[in-house]
Amino acid sequence: MIPAAFRDTAEAAADAAGAVIRPLFRSQLLVEAKGDASPVTEADKAAERTIRALIADRHPDHGVIGEEYGETNPGADWVWVLDPIDGTRAFVTGRPLFGTLIGLLHKGVPVLGVIDQPATRERWIGLSGQPAEFRSEFGGTPRCRPCATLAEAELSCTSPDMFDAETAPRFAAAKDAARRTTWGGDCYAYGLLALGLVDAVVDATMKPWDWAALVPVIEGAGGRCTDWAGRPLRLDSDGTVLAVGDRALLPEISRLLAG
């Protein structure tokens, strides 16, 4: 059982990050270039600093891994994994398809996740072994829909640019077998999968802060979130991520992605 205080911390962290991010959305931002050429803004940095301060105050013995400021307290059993703005390119171009990701690992296993959309004020919450929750003025129930074959599936991917010479043909095989493929959305696409609006999401080059919060949400909505081979996601995973709403879909799509 995950202590209730940990969920309270995750939600308080999402609230605090949203209060930092919302005033900067669609404003003039100082955008820097990171080593991987992805845009990073003061919103990313300020939101992560805010979340880290809150965690340090409430759980000083916990570890933290964040996209902007690296790792603290390595070796801790409980480790928070943070992406203050997942989908920074959407954020800096004014599209509300970004989100704040707050995950918690226990001995390397994702056990708690929050996907928070500060602009639309939508929030998905997942805790290991419990049904996922969703809060939004638009309504919706976090429950993945049946879709047993890829030929019937709505497939989503963040961007074709994330594939290299080795992964591109494997993704193409899954794309060609799917009913339809849509692009973009970053973490928001995984939230839509949890709502039964998308059937599968396939991404690559994903870091722990990109997926740690997603696993408890997807699995709490009845789906599965693994690497392309169908293995559980861990800190040493290979960067591939496959999420399916219907678990019966996993073997077919995983076989295609295996090449």
Side-chain angles (χ1 to χ4, degrees):
M1 180 68 69
I2 301 164
F6 294 179
R7 176 192 170 131
D8 292 344
T9 296
E11 293 223 54
D15 291 342
V20 171
I21 292 166
R22 275 188 293 274
L24 297 172
F25 183 53
R26 294 180 180 166
S27 68
Q28 289 298 115
L29 299 171
L30 176 63
V31 179
E32 303 171 356
K34 289 198 293 191
D36 62 359
S38 61
V40 60
T41 68
E42 181 53 31
D44 291 271
K45 295 178 178 179
E48 185 167 324
R49 289 194 300 267
T50 298
I51 297 172
R52 282 176 175 268
L54 190 148
I55 292 170
D57 180 62
R58 296 187 179 203
H59 312 290
D61 57 328
H62 287 196
V64 178
I65 299 173
E67 182 177 17
E68 303 302 336
Y69 294 105
E71 183 174 7
T72 59
N73 199 12
D77 284 348
W78 297 94
V79 178
W80 296 86
V81 186
L82 313 174
D83 192 348
I85 298 182
D86 180 77
T88 313
R89 293 180 186 276
F91 179 78
V92 300
T93 54
R95 292 171 292 167
L97 297 178
F98 64 92
T100 297
L101 296 178
I102 300 169
L104 179 63
L105 309 182
H106 183 238
K107 298 183 178 180
V109 178
V111 295
L112 182 156
V114 172
I115 306 171
D116 190 70
Q117 211 305 321
T120 61
R121 298 180 186 265
E122 296 174 275
R123 182 173 296 176
W124 292 259
I125 305 165
L127 291 93
S128 181
Q130 300 183 37
E133 300 175 29
F134 177 63
R135 295 203 294 272
S136 169
E137 66 176 273
F138 307 113
T141 300
R143 187 64 191 170
C144 297
R145 67 185 177 191
C147 180
T149 67
L150 194 52
E152 303 171 340
E154 296 283 349
L155 176 66
S156 182
C157 174
T158 296
S159 170
D161 295 339
M162 62 174 42
F163 303 118
D164 58 21
E166 192 263 327
T167 55
R170 293 155 60 188
F171 172 77
K175 175 181 177 293
D176 291 345
R179 177 188 179 197
R180 181 165 43 230
T181 299
T182 55
W183 304 97
D186 297 280
C187 65
Y188 202 81
Y190 293 85
L192 296 177
L193 184 144
L195 292 176
L197 299 170
V198 172
D199 300 301
V201 185
V202 176
D203 283 327
T205 65
M206 299 276 275
K207 305 298 185 184
W209 47 79
D210 294 316
W211 54 255
L214 307 177
V215 177
V217 172
I218 297 296
E219 302 202 344
R224 285 279 283 140
C225 193
T226 68
D227 68 8
W228 283 12
R231 298 173 298 218
L233 292 168
R234 297 293 183 264
L235 289 175
D236 60 353
S237 291
D238 64 5
T240 63
V241 172
L242 165 61
V244 296
D246 189 329
R247 296 181 178 216
L249 187 59
L250 185 63
E252 178 189 2
I253 191 168
S254 183
R255 175 179 57 80
L256 292 171
L257 293 171

